[in-house]
Amino acid sequence: MKQILIAILVAVLFLFPACQSFSQPVEDTAVSFEKETVLTQETAEPVQTVNPTNEPIEPTQKLTLKPTETPEPTSTEKPTETAKPTETVKPKQTSSPQPTTQPTVKPTEIPTPDPTAKPTPEPEVEIVSVSSSYINAAMAEINRLRKENGVPPATYSGSISSSCQSHAEKMAESGSPFHASGTYMFEAVGRASRHMSGGTMGGSAANHVVQLQSEEVTKIGIGAVYYGDYVFYVVRGD
């Protein structure tokens, strides 16, 4: 900057006398020219002095001096602004969705079915053997009928009576009378009212199987059981 100002001052000092010379008459110009020539001779090599002539000297074209452009001061670069650190944007906290409260579903009440009334079981019917007096009454009635027909009385057989008792129980279990296959000569089976007496039962059997009253039969076996309201009986002759 100082060098530029010094150059401007030197130029002004140099051009200022020249400007005055243009404004003076021609004669003054010649005189000043001589002075300059003399000064030049003193400082430099001797120069030939130009004699002034009487002819008028045409004025030299005036030079229009342009003002020296003052250089614009160099713009001082502004320091680069330090970039501010970008603020880190914190993510907004997302509110956690609250669980939707669902209505509590009450279980459907299943109506308790009324207990089915169980039928009262009937009392178990037991098979009951008849008494020995019942058997004796039946045997006596059979021999009575045999005697009327002139036939000697038959003998009571315990072994035959045992088989008759077993078959009578089977008939009671089945609920109906039926004949059994065997080696016996004659057999009478039946079901009668529980209130039937032994004598009546023996007479019914002897009348049903008339062979029980014949001389062919010498041994007789009797079996009978009570079952509910009935009496099941078996009479066999051998």
Side-chain angles (χ1 to χ4, degrees):
M1 186 70 183
K2 290 180 179 181
Q3 293 177 356
I4 296 173
L5 293 175
I6 293 170
I8 293 172
L9 291 175
V10 171
V12 170
L13 293 175
F14 180 78
L15 294 175
F16 182 74
C19 292
Q20 290 181 349
S21 63
F22 283 112
S23 60
Q24 292 178 357
V26 176
E27 292 179 0
D28 294 340
T29 302
V31 174
S32 64
F33 181 75
E34 289 178 359
K35 289 179 178 182
E36 290 179 0
T37 303
V38 173
L39 291 173
T40 303
Q41 290 176 357
E42 291 178 359
T43 57
E45 294 179 358
V47 181
Q48 186 177 358
T49 304
V50 179
N51 294 323
T53 58
N54 293 324
E55 294 180 1
I57 300 171
E58 294 181 359
T60 305
Q61 185 176 1
K62 294 181 179 181
L63 298 176
T64 304
L65 296 177
K66 294 182 179 182
T68 305
E69 295 180 358
T70 304
E72 295 181 358
T74 306
S75 60
T76 304
E77 294 182 359
K78 295 182 179 180
T80 305
E81 294 182 359
T82 305
K84 296 181 179 180
T86 305
E87 295 182 359
T88 304
V89 180
K90 295 182 179 180
K92 295 182 179 180
Q93 293 182 353
T94 305
S95 58
S96 302
Q98 296 180 354
T100 305
T101 305
Q102 296 182 354
T104 304
V105 180
K106 295 182 178 180
T108 305
E109 295 182 358
I110 300 174
T112 304
D114 296 334
T116 304
K118 294 182 180 180
T120 304
E122 295 181 358
E124 186 177 353
V125 180
E126 295 181 359
I127 299 174
V128 181
S129 299
V130 297
S131 63
S132 58
S133 60
Y134 189 93
I135 299 299
N136 293 332
M139 188 67 188
E141 181 64 21
I142 293 172
N143 284 331
R144 188 187 68 82
L145 293 174
R146 284 172 67 90
K147 185 178 181 180
E148 287 182 356
N149 293 325
V151 176
T155 304
Y156 175 77
S157 171
S159 59
I160 298 174
S161 296
S162 178
S163 64
C164 290
Q165 186 69 19
S166 178
H167 187 66
E169 292 175 358
K170 292 179 181 178
M171 290 192 303
E173 290 175 356
S174 66
S176 59
F178 58 90
H179 288 281
S181 60
T183 59
Y184 301 101
M185 191 178 296
F186 306 105
E187 180 182 63
V189 298
R191 181 184 70 177
S193 173
R194 184 186 182 97
H195 302 291
M196 177 185 283
S197 64
T200 305
M201 181 272 289
S204 175
N207 291 325
H208 180 65
V209 180
V210 293
Q211 287 86 354
L212 293 175
Q213 301 179 32
S214 68
E215 294 180 352
E216 296 177 3
V217 175
T218 59
K219 296 178 181 180
I220 292 177
I222 301 172
V225 295
Y226 293 118
Y227 185 75
D229 295 334
Y230 301 97
V231 59
F232 292 84
Y233 62 87
V234 178
V235 179
R236 290 174 180 170
D238 194 7

mmCIF file of all heavy atoms in Angstrom, residues 55-77:
data_model
loop_
_atom_site.group_PDB
_atom_site.id
_atom_site.type_symbol
_atom_site.label_atom_id
_atom_site.label_comp_id
_atom_site.label_asym_id
_atom_site.label_seq_id
_atom_site.Cartn_x
_atom_site.Cartn_y
_atom_site.Cartn_z
ATOM 1 N N GLU A 55 10.148 32.166 -35.842
ATOM 2 C CA GLU A 55 8.884 31.624 -36.340
ATOM 3 C C GLU A 55 8.030 31.202 -35.148
ATOM 4 O O GLU A 55 8.519 30.645 -34.160
ATOM 5 C CB GLU A 55 9.170 30.409 -37.232
ATOM 6 C CG GLU A 55 9.918 30.785 -38.514
ATOM 7 C CD GLU A 55 10.200 29.579 -39.376
ATOM 8 O OE1 GLU A 55 9.773 28.447 -38.938
ATOM 9 O OE2 GLU A 55 10.765 29.700 -40.435
ATOM 10 N N PRO A 56 6.827 31.470 -35.316
ATOM 11 C CA PRO A 56 5.931 31.080 -34.184
ATOM 12 C C PRO A 56 5.816 29.577 -34.080
ATOM 13 O O PRO A 56 5.714 28.876 -35.059
ATOM 14 C CB PRO A 56 4.607 31.739 -34.548
ATOM 15 C CG PRO A 56 4.663 31.887 -36.032
ATOM 16 C CD PRO A 56 6.106 32.110 -36.434
ATOM 17 N N ILE A 57 5.881 29.157 -32.897
ATOM 18 C CA ILE A 57 5.776 27.701 -32.633
ATOM 19 C C ILE A 57 4.343 27.384 -32.311
ATOM 20 O O ILE A 57 3.697 28.021 -31.472
ATOM 21 C CB ILE A 57 6.695 27.321 -31.466
ATOM 22 C CG1 ILE A 57 8.163 27.672 -31.810
ATOM 23 C CG2 ILE A 57 6.533 25.850 -31.095
ATOM 24 C CD1 ILE A 57 9.107 27.526 -30.662
ATOM 25 N N GLU A 58 3.906 26.404 -33.068
ATOM 26 C CA GLU A 58 2.501 25.989 -32.823
ATOM 27 C C GLU A 58 2.389 25.338 -31.454
ATOM 28 O O GLU A 58 3.262 24.576 -31.028
ATOM 29 C CB GLU A 58 2.056 24.976 -33.897
ATOM 30 C CG GLU A 58 1.996 25.619 -35.277
ATOM 31 C CD GLU A 58 1.533 24.626 -36.322
ATOM 32 O OE1 GLU A 58 1.287 23.434 -35.926
ATOM 33 O OE2 GLU A 58 1.394 24.976 -37.474
ATOM 34 N N PRO A 59 1.364 25.704 -30.825
ATOM 35 C CA PRO A 59 1.218 25.118 -29.467
ATOM 36 C C PRO A 59 1.041 23.599 -29.551
ATOM 37 O O PRO A 59 0.388 23.087 -30.422
ATOM 38 C CB PRO A 59 -0.020 25.797 -28.909
ATOM 39 C CG PRO A 59 -0.790 26.210 -30.112
ATOM 40 C CD PRO A 59 0.209 26.541 -31.188
ATOM 41 N N THR A 60 1.704 22.998 -28.696
ATOM 42 C CA THR A 60 1.627 21.524 -28.630
ATOM 43 C C THR A 60 0.263 21.112 -28.102
ATOM 44 O O THR A 60 -0.322 21.758 -27.239
ATOM 45 C CB THR A 60 2.698 20.981 -27.701
ATOM 46 O OG1 THR A 60 3.965 21.481 -28.139
ATOM 47 C CG2 THR A 60 2.719 19.459 -27.698
ATOM 48 N N GLN A 61 -0.189 20.058 -28.724
ATOM 49 C CA GLN A 61 -1.535 19.568 -28.294
ATOM 50 C C GLN A 61 -1.500 19.228 -26.821
ATOM 51 O O GLN A 61 -0.599 18.578 -26.313
ATOM 52 C CB GLN A 61 -1.928 18.299 -29.113
ATOM 53 C CG GLN A 61 -3.312 17.831 -28.818
ATOM 54 C CD GLN A 61 -3.678 16.652 -29.700
ATOM 55 O OE1 GLN A 61 -2.842 16.219 -30.494
ATOM 56 N NE2 GLN A 61 -4.902 16.182 -29.560
ATOM 57 N N LYS A 62 -2.495 19.814 -26.151
ATOM 58 C CA LYS A 62 -2.582 19.570 -24.733
ATOM 59 C C LYS A 62 -2.949 18.121 -24.453
ATOM 60 O O LYS A 62 -3.759 17.542 -25.137
ATOM 61 C CB LYS A 62 -3.609 20.499 -24.090
ATOM 62 C CG LYS A 62 -3.207 21.952 -24.151
ATOM 63 C CD LYS A 62 -4.254 22.810 -23.468
ATOM 64 C CE LYS A 62 -3.864 24.290 -23.485
ATOM 65 N NZ LYS A 62 -4.877 25.111 -22.790
ATOM 66 N N LEU A 63 -2.259 17.622 -23.521
ATOM 67 C CA LEU A 63 -2.541 16.236 -23.095
ATOM 68 C C LEU A 63 -3.476 16.261 -21.933
ATOM 69 O O LEU A 63 -3.286 16.993 -20.962
ATOM 70 C CB LEU A 63 -1.226 15.514 -22.700
ATOM 71 C CG LEU A 63 -0.182 15.354 -23.815
ATOM 72 C CD1 LEU A 63 1.080 14.718 -23.226
ATOM 73 C CD2 LEU A 63 -0.736 14.505 -24.939
ATOM 74 N N THR A 64 -4.487 15.542 -22.120
ATOM 75 C CA THR A 64 -5.463 15.428 -21.006
ATOM 76 C C THR A 64 -5.016 14.294 -20.103
ATOM 77 O O THR A 64 -4.887 13.152 -20.529
ATOM 78 C CB THR A 64 -6.871 15.111 -21.524
ATOM 79 O OG1 THR A 64 -7.229 16.133 -22.465
ATOM 80 C CG2 THR A 64 -7.865 15.026 -20.388
ATOM 81 N N LEU A 65 -4.660 14.682 -18.947
ATOM 82 C CA LEU A 65 -4.168 13.694 -17.996
ATOM 83 C C LEU A 65 -5.338 13.028 -17.302
ATOM 84 O O LEU A 65 -6.225 13.696 -16.751
ATOM 85 C CB LEU A 65 -3.254 14.374 -16.948
ATOM 86 C CG LEU A 65 -1.958 15.006 -17.501
ATOM 87 C CD1 LEU A 65 -1.215 15.685 -16.353
ATOM 88 C CD2 LEU A 65 -1.081 13.979 -18.151
ATOM 89 N N LYS A 66 -5.297 11.793 -17.426
ATOM 90 C CA LYS A 66 -6.321 11.009 -16.697
ATOM 91 C C LYS A 66 -5.844 10.810 -15.288
ATOM 92 O O LYS A 66 -4.682 10.541 -15.037
ATOM 93 C CB LYS A 66 -6.541 9.653 -17.367
ATOM 94 C CG LYS A 66 -7.148 9.763 -18.757
ATOM 95 C CD LYS A 66 -7.376 8.374 -19.328
ATOM 96 C CE LYS A 66 -8.005 8.449 -20.711
ATOM 97 N NZ LYS A 66 -8.260 7.084 -21.253
ATOM 98 N N PRO A 67 -6.743 11.024 -14.399
ATOM 99 C CA PRO A 67 -6.328 10.786 -13.003
ATOM 100 C C PRO A 67 -5.964 9.328 -12.801
ATOM 101 O O PRO A 67 -6.582 8.425 -13.329
ATOM 102 C CB PRO A 67 -7.564 11.180 -12.194
ATOM 103 C CG PRO A 67 -8.692 10.993 -13.140
ATOM 104 C CD PRO A 67 -8.180 11.328 -14.501
ATOM 105 N N THR A 68 -4.894 9.222 -12.074
ATOM 106 C CA THR A 68 -4.440 7.847 -11.795
ATOM 107 C C THR A 68 -5.480 7.124 -10.955
ATOM 108 O O THR A 68 -5.967 7.665 -9.944
ATOM 109 C CB THR A 68 -3.112 7.875 -11.042
ATOM 110 O OG1 THR A 68 -2.176 8.655 -11.826
ATOM 111 C CG2 THR A 68 -2.576 6.475 -10.799
ATOM 112 N N GLU A 69 -5.845 6.017 -11.487
ATOM 113 C CA GLU A 69 -6.863 5.233 -10.759
ATOM 114 C C GLU A 69 -6.273 4.706 -9.467
ATOM 115 O O GLU A 69 -5.215 4.096 -9.436
ATOM 116 C CB GLU A 69 -7.347 4.051 -11.601
ATOM 117 C CG GLU A 69 -8.089 4.482 -12.852
ATOM 118 C CD GLU A 69 -8.558 3.300 -13.651
ATOM 119 O OE1 GLU A 69 -8.258 2.156 -13.225
ATOM 120 O OE2 GLU A 69 -9.247 3.475 -14.675
ATOM 121 N N THR A 70 -6.951 5.095 -8.450
ATOM 122 C CA THR A 70 -6.527 4.600 -7.134
ATOM 123 C C THR A 70 -6.915 3.130 -7.024
ATOM 124 O O THR A 70 -8.087 2.794 -7.178
ATOM 125 C CB THR A 70 -7.203 5.387 -6.021
ATOM 126 O OG1 THR A 70 -6.908 6.783 -6.199
ATOM 127 C CG2 THR A 70 -6.729 4.908 -4.651
ATOM 128 N N PRO A 71 -5.936 2.332 -6.879
ATOM 129 C CA PRO A 71 -6.302 0.873 -6.790
ATOM 130 C C PRO A 71 -7.181 0.620 -5.571
ATOM 131 O O PRO A 71 -6.960 1.176 -4.495
ATOM 132 C CB PRO A 71 -4.942 0.169 -6.663
ATOM 133 C CG PRO A 71 -4.035 1.206 -6.092
ATOM 134 C CD PRO A 71 -4.508 2.532 -6.646
ATOM 135 N N GLU A 72 -8.167 -0.114 -5.868
ATOM 136 C CA GLU A 72 -9.075 -0.462 -4.767
ATOM 137 C C GLU A 72 -8.341 -1.352 -3.777
ATOM 138 O O GLU A 72 -7.568 -2.227 -4.149
ATOM 139 C CB GLU A 72 -10.301 -1.211 -5.303
ATOM 140 C CG GLU A 72 -11.154 -0.339 -6.212
ATOM 141 C CD GLU A 72 -12.358 -1.089 -6.713
ATOM 142 O OE1 GLU A 72 -12.481 -2.288 -6.361
ATOM 143 O OE2 GLU A 72 -13.188 -0.504 -7.444
ATOM 144 N N PRO A 73 -8.549 -1.015 -2.563
ATOM 145 C CA PRO A 73 -7.859 -1.854 -1.551
ATOM 146 C C PRO A 73 -8.321 -3.297 -1.658
ATOM 147 O O PRO A 73 -9.492 -3.576 -1.899
ATOM 148 C CB PRO A 73 -8.293 -1.231 -0.217
ATOM 149 C CG PRO A 73 -9.570 -0.534 -0.529
ATOM 150 C CD PRO A 73 -9.465 -0.046 -1.948
ATOM 151 N N THR A 74 -7.328 -4.104 -1.559
ATOM 152 C CA THR A 74 -7.644 -5.550 -1.629
ATOM 153 C C THR A 74 -8.517 -5.938 -0.449
ATOM 154 O O THR A 74 -8.215 -5.567 0.696
ATOM 155 C CB THR A 74 -6.361 -6.384 -1.598
ATOM 156 O OG1 THR A 74 -5.505 -5.913 -2.639
ATOM 157 C CG2 THR A 74 -6.677 -7.863 -1.768
ATOM 158 N N SER A 75 -9.590 -6.553 -0.832
ATOM 159 C CA SER A 75 -10.528 -6.928 0.240
ATOM 160 C C SER A 75 -9.878 -7.980 1.130
ATOM 161 O O SER A 75 -9.323 -8.960 0.672
ATOM 162 C CB SER A 75 -11.824 -7.501 -0.348
ATOM 163 O OG SER A 75 -11.545 -8.648 -1.110
ATOM 164 N N THR A 76 -9.935 -7.640 2.372
ATOM 165 C CA THR A 76 -9.392 -8.597 3.330
ATOM 166 C C THR A 76 -10.364 -9.750 3.496
ATOM 167 O O THR A 76 -11.546 -9.525 3.758
ATOM 168 C CB THR A 76 -9.185 -7.911 4.695
ATOM 169 O OG1 THR A 76 -8.354 -6.772 4.497
ATOM 170 C CG2 THR A 76 -8.560 -8.869 5.702
ATOM 171 N N GLU A 77 -9.841 -10.901 3.221
ATOM 172 C CA GLU A 77 -10.727 -12.063 3.323
ATOM 173 C C GLU A 77 -11.155 -12.264 4.762
ATOM 174 O O GLU A 77 -10.347 -12.236 5.685
ATOM 175 C CB GLU A 77 -10.007 -13.326 2.835
ATOM 176 C CG GLU A 77 -9.679 -13.283 1.367
ATOM 177 C CD GLU A 77 -9.015 -14.570 0.921
ATOM 178 O OE1 GLU A 77 -8.820 -15.443 1.791
ATOM 179 O OE2 GLU A 77 -8.730 -14.700 -0.280
#
